Amino acid sequence: MTPITLLFLAVSMSADAFAASISKGAELQKPRYSHAIGIGLVFGVIEAITPVLGWVAGKASQQHVQAWDHWVAFTLLSIIGLHMMYAGLKKDDKIEQRKLTLWLLVLTATATSIDAMAVGASLAFIDANIIATSLAIGLATTVMASIGTFLGNRLGKFVGHWAELIGGIMLIGIGLAVLAEHTAFF
């Protein structure tokens, strides 16, 4: 995986956490730096762990799907990308006012990182460096979620949709690149 592909992957994987952190920021009256960094770290750490878990599962099943692993990677990335695009296009501009607790934050971060687990599984099929990828995804998510917390207080409902839409498009592009690299289709 090239550094540019890794950057696009890390940013696209952080898009749903960015959108969720905008919602969290909108729930806070005046988010402080410590709130934003804390929210970013929770999202980032969980988002860094889940691709490793998916990668382990992918490696365990790799021998069974080696002949068509690039199709699996393409399919998983495309499905996740389409789901993110759907979520970005869905009109849900209402922001709920809830008390922000650590437990709720961890649940939200876990929910937004499930796609990273599937991406980790697909990366096992193409022998990507999971440590570098996981760290890049975690760092990008920490930064994006911290920024999203601050933006959420000001921009709330307007930015989150675009973040998921663009992230979904980038994931589909990465899936197409994997397919192009392993087949004569492109």
Side-chain angles (χ1 to χ4, degrees):
M1 190 175 335
T2 68
I4 296 297
T5 304
L6 181 59
L7 176 66
F8 281 133
L9 178 64
V11 170
S12 65
M13 287 286 81
S14 66
D16 51 355
F18 177 70
S21 68
I22 288 173
S23 174
K24 297 297 175 201
E27 293 172 10
L28 298 172
Q29 294 296 332
K30 291 184 180 181
R32 295 181 301 202
Y33 286 112
S34 60
H35 285 128
I37 300 296
I39 289 170
L41 283 171
V42 169
F43 275 99
V45 167
I46 291 173
E47 195 87 24
I49 291 170
T50 54
V52 175
L53 297 175
W55 185 84
V56 169
K59 278 294 186 189
S61 65
Q62 187 175 22
Q63 65 183 354
H64 304 294
V65 294
Q66 200 160 20
W68 39 275
D69 57 2
H70 49 279
W71 287 103
V72 173
F74 166 73
T75 302
L76 287 173
L77 290 170
S78 295
I79 289 170
I80 295 164
L82 288 171
H83 182 269
M84 287 176 71
M85 290 172 61
Y86 171 76
L89 293 171
K90 190 171 69 169
K91 298 292 184 198
D92 187 15
D93 294 336
K94 184 176 75 172
I95 295 176
E96 276 183 46
Q97 294 293 325
R98 289 181 277 171
K99 184 177 180 190
L100 185 62
T101 65
L102 181 60
W103 177 246
L104 181 60
L105 185 62
V106 168
L107 284 176
T108 303
T110 301
T112 62
S113 69
I114 296 300
D115 56 347
M117 189 178 298
V119 167
S122 66
L123 293 176
F125 300 138
I126 60 171
D127 288 326
N129 181 340
I130 193 60
I131 300 300
T133 303
S134 177
L135 290 174
I137 290 171
L139 179 62
T141 302
T142 299
V143 170
M144 296 285 284
S146 297
I147 291 170
T149 301
F150 279 119
L151 287 178
N153 193 260
R154 290 180 173 59
L155 303 177
K157 60 186 176 184
F158 302 112
V159 180
H161 296 298
W162 288 104
E164 286 202 273
L165 182 64
I166 292 168
I169 291 169
M170 289 190 333
L171 279 183
I172 292 170
I174 291 168
L176 286 170
V178 166
L179 199 57
E181 186 176 318
H182 289 89
T183 66
F185 263 2
F186 296 101

